Amino acid sequence: MHPYLITAKPGRIRRALTGVRVWSVRLLALTVMTLLGAAVLTVRCVRPVINYLATRAIYIELWAAQRLGRPPVSGFVGAGITDEFVREFHRARTATASTGSPR
């Protein structure tokens, strides 16, 4: 190896390509952050509307179930999902409480 190769600076083209690469990655990261932020904002803004529509759908289903004389399906499905969430929450809470305890 020749000593002048160790201290040689990269040429203008290589430095320009490096600058383009760095700024393109930064621009890509900014674009991803902006899109994710817009998605989160949209979900947070639409959530009350979804909650309202779900409540209205439950009332309509209850009304229809009364007219037909059958039990509402959403009550069974919703109760099962709620029970599973509660079980998972308690399982996670007791697992972290027992493993993270200093005693």
Side-chain angles (χ1 to χ4, degrees):
M1 180 182 291
H2 298 290
Y4 66 87
L5 291 177
I6 296 172
T7 59
K9 292 182 180 178
R12 288 183 185 183
I13 294 175
R14 181 162 294 196
R15 282 184 291 177
L17 289 175
T18 301
V20 168
R21 180 178 51 94
V22 166
W23 281 102
S24 64
V25 169
R26 288 179 182 174
L27 185 61
L28 178 66
L30 180 65
T31 304
V32 169
M33 286 172 40
T34 303
L35 291 175
L36 286 175
V40 168
L41 181 64
T42 303
V43 168
R44 286 189 174 201
C45 290
V46 173
R47 190 170 146 199
V49 175
I50 292 172
N51 287 343
Y52 174 76
L53 291 175
T55 304
R56 298 314 304 164
I58 289 171
Y59 285 135
I60 291 171
E61 184 190 10
L62 289 174
W63 174 82
Q66 286 177 347
R67 297 290 178 252
L68 293 175
R70 294 182 175 248
V73 177
S74 65
F76 299 128
V77 174
I81 291 173
T82 302
D83 291 342
E84 185 59 34
F85 276 131
V86 168
R87 264 187 250 116
E88 185 66 29
F89 173 74
H90 287 304
R91 189 179 315 134
R93 190 179 65 170
T94 55
T96 55
S98 61
T99 56
S101 141
R103 295 180 198 181

